[in-house]
Amino acid sequence: MPYSTLLGQVIKHLRTAKGVDQLSLATALGISQPAYSRIESGDTNMNVWQLRTCAGHLGVTPSDLLRQVEVHERRLLAQGVTVVAEKRSNPAATLIGIAILAALLSA
C-alpha cells in the first residue's frame, strides 16, 4: 500500500468521524472537491501546507495526524501489508491494503 493512500485513508476516517464533508476541506485547501478526493485516495500527494491545513480543520496537529498514520502502518505491517513510499501499478494489492485498513480503522 502506498504511504499516500494510507495518509489519505486516515484523513478520510478523521473527516467522516468529525462530520466534515470533502467540499469543506477542498475549499480550505483552495482546490476542487475532485482534487481533494484524489488526495484521500492517495492518487495525489499532499504538500506540507495542505497537511497542516487538513490537520487544523480536523482538530489535530500535523504530528498527531502522522502519528496516527504510523500506528496504522505498524498494524498493516503486522497483517502482512507493506507500506511503500510511492504508488506502484498493483491496484489489487492496494485494494487489499485499503480493505484491511478500513477494518482496522473501524475496530
Side-chain angles (χ1 to χ4, degrees):
M1 167 181 272
Y3 189 87
S4 61
T5 302
L6 177 56
L7 174 60
Q9 291 300 302
V10 169
I11 290 171
K12 179 180 179 178
H13 177 74
L14 286 172
R15 179 183 60 75
T16 56
K18 298 202 179 255
V20 177
D21 63 17
Q22 284 188 342
L23 184 58
S24 297
L25 274 176
T27 301
L29 294 172
I31 60 176
S32 67
Q33 181 276 323
Y36 176 79
S37 179
R38 288 189 294 276
I39 288 173
E40 281 191 1
S41 68
D43 290 332
T44 301
N45 290 323
M46 299 180 80
N47 64 41
V48 174
W49 179 84
Q50 289 171 324
L51 176 69
R52 201 166 168 242
T53 301
C54 270
H57 276 77
L58 296 173
V60 297
T61 65
S63 60
D64 289 336
L65 182 59
L66 293 175
R67 195 171 303 114
Q68 289 184 39
V69 172
E70 289 174 12
V71 166
H72 291 296
E73 180 177 13
R74 286 191 297 275
R75 289 180 179 170
L76 286 168
L77 289 171
Q79 297 289 323
V81 177
T82 303
V83 178
V84 296
E86 58 189 45
K87 200 166 206 166
R88 296 186 184 154
S89 60
N90 189 345
T94 299
L95 289 174
I96 291 168
I98 290 172
I100 293 170
L101 178 61
L104 292 171
L105 287 170
S106 64

